[in-house]
Amino acid sequence: MNVSHPKLILLTVCLVALMSTAGVAMPYPILAPIFVDSAPDAFNHFLGLPPKLLLGVALAANPLGILLGSTLIGALSDRLGRRRVLTGTLLLTFAGYLLTAYALWSRWYLLFVLARFVTGLTEGNVAVARAIVADLHPQLDRARSFAILNAVLYTGWLVGPLIGGLTLPLGEAVPFLLAASAILLCLAVLLAFLPETGERMHQDQSLLQVMRGQHSFRLLSADPLLARLFWMQLAFAIGVNAFYEFYPLWLVEYARLDSRGIALVTALMCVLMTSASALLGKLGHKRAPLELARINAVWVALGLLGLSLLADLPRPGIGLIVLLGVPLAIYNAILPSWCSERFANLGQGSVMGLLTTIFCVANVLVALLGSVLTILDTRLVLVLGALTCGLAAGWLQGVIREAAEA
């Protein structure tokens, strides 16, 4: 579908994605200090439960919401329009951040978990941003556009943790109030510059019929190759989330860093991720996409295994955390682009929504299982992540063969 000023639309989507992702990423460096490295109170010792277990439930609440929301948000954007769905989700995210800030101020753990869940319901809108980028093809090269969007998303992961880590000493509610302010700015940019994109699908169906029949999981029965890719990507996402969710705890326990230190480490990692994704978008790559993804999955597996062995060497461990940003960035730029091209007939919003859904399923599983493992030893979560990423690399080889034969 041709649109006027596709580069301006890409820029607008990138700005919206930057501010939205910054809000999603902001809690990563601050939740571990809030629960594990703060004075005991009714919040971080709710019902006398271990702080690490409470941390795991809090970590799981947000992606559980994203999981439920992302199964529908991408598909709904195929029917209702990208701009309309993106506007609605941002408004609800704004309300969720305000509720989260109030829960922290009032030291109300259950409300905090509920607020994180409600916020997550509408944070799956990254799938809509990716669908808009896919809509711009062939006016803009799909692979390069995805690489640019990923670079911006990583910048959000740079800005968000920095804001969270540096402002946490001002009060635990402050970072979430700032995130709410960023969402308002995000809405202003969207309403001012983003037109409707995409070709609306399923117009002959009611909204309820779309929600029942066009959720992301229905794609698994539509294409056997996509179903196989689902399990591979789930294994890899479990490993990635084992890293994302628990490297801050590793930094607290073994490197003795506070929220500001965690934020700086995260910022350095995101600088590498942004640079790697931007270079990939500018220079391209010579290898077949899935083969390049498989190689980087192997590097992630080796990195997680190495990190689990460096508890007594925190400085090399910190360096390894930062370096892991490179293979993660390359993998995350390659796979969505390949899926967008290969499964375009299934609806870009639905396909991108499925990728977000897979990530969130893994996020919930890792948060709950990982919180139990960390009670025994935090390094066990990293070993689990290394094993699943290695498994994903093996499965990806099978996907490559099947894709070539199809």
Side-chain angles (χ1 to χ4, degrees), residues 285-340:
H285 55 88
K286 296 181 180 179
R287 287 185 177 272
L290 291 187
E291 177 62 22
L292 184 59
R294 188 189 67 81
I295 292 172
N296 282 278
V298 171
W299 281 116
V300 173
L302 293 174
L304 291 177
L305 182 61
L307 185 60
S308 70
L309 301 174
L310 291 175
D312 296 326
L313 299 169
R315 289 187 178 179
I318 291 172
L320 182 55
I321 288 173
V322 173
L323 289 174
L324 271 168
V326 174
L328 286 170
I330 295 174
Y331 182 97
N332 289 328
I334 291 295
L335 194 76
S337 175
W338 183 85
C339 289
S340 172

Side-chain angles (χ1 to χ4, degrees), residues 118-314:
V118 171
T119 305
L121 285 173
T122 53
E123 283 180 337
N125 53 25
V126 171
V128 182
R130 285 176 171 154
I132 293 173
V133 170
D135 291 337
L136 298 178
H137 180 79
Q139 289 176 278
L140 297 179
D141 181 76
R142 182 185 283 118
R144 293 181 185 274
S145 296
F146 269 111
I148 292 171
L149 177 62
N150 276 310
V152 172
L153 292 174
Y154 297 139
T155 303
W157 283 90
L158 163 65
V159 173
L162 274 177
I163 293 174
L166 296 178
T167 61
L168 181 64
L170 302 177
E172 293 177 355
V174 171
F176 293 95
L177 293 175
L178 291 176
S181 301
I183 292 297
L184 283 181
L185 180 59
C186 189
L187 274 167
V189 172
L190 184 152
L191 294 174
F193 298 108
L194 185 66
E196 194 58 83
T197 68
E199 185 173 336
R200 297 190 185 185
M201 305 168 65
H202 320 298
Q203 292 297 304
D204 58 334
Q205 299 178 5
S206 69
L207 185 60
L208 183 59
Q209 286 176 318
V210 173
M211 293 176 68
R212 287 177 176 175
Q214 300 303 321
H215 56 82
S216 296
F217 284 121
R218 57 97 189 176
L219 299 181
L220 300 183
S221 61
D223 191 308
L225 179 61
L226 186 58
R228 184 165 183 170
L229 188 75
F230 172 90
W231 294 108
M232 181 283 301
Q233 181 66 1
L234 179 62
F236 183 76
I238 287 174
V240 171
N241 278 290
F243 174 66
Y244 281 159
E245 293 186 15
F246 290 102
Y247 81 79
L249 185 58
W250 188 97
L251 291 173
V252 169
E253 289 188 334
Y254 301 116
R256 304 299 179 189
L257 297 185
D258 58 11
S259 65
R260 294 179 178 178
I262 297 171
L264 291 175
V265 172
T266 303
L268 290 174
M269 178 179 67
C270 290
V271 166
L272 277 186
M273 296 178 85
T274 304
S275 301
S277 190
L279 285 174
L280 187 67
K282 182 177 182 180
L283 303 178
H285 55 88
K286 296 181 180 179
R287 287 185 177 272
L290 291 187
E291 177 62 22
L292 184 59
R294 188 189 67 81
I295 292 172
N296 282 278
V298 171
W299 281 116
V300 173
L302 293 174
L304 291 177
L305 182 61
L307 185 60
S308 70
L309 301 174
L310 291 175
D312 296 326
L313 299 169

Side-chain angles (χ1 to χ4, degrees), residues 60-78 80 85-86 88-89 92-93 116-128 207 210-212 214-217 349-350 352-361 364:
N62 187 251
L64 179 60
I66 297 177
L67 168 62
L68 297 177
S70 63
T71 58
L72 299 173
I73 287 175
L76 286 178
S77 76
D78 286 336
L80 302 178
V85 171
L86 199 55
T89 56
L92 292 174
T93 302
R116 297 297 294 147
F117 172 76
V118 171
T119 305
L121 285 173
T122 53
E123 283 180 337
N125 53 25
V126 171
V128 182
L207 185 60
V210 173
M211 293 176 68
R212 287 177 176 175
Q214 300 303 321
H215 56 82
S216 296
F217 284 121
S350 296
M352 295 302 108
L354 180 63
L355 293 180
T356 303
T357 298
I358 293 171
F359 187 83
C360 294
V361 170
V364 173

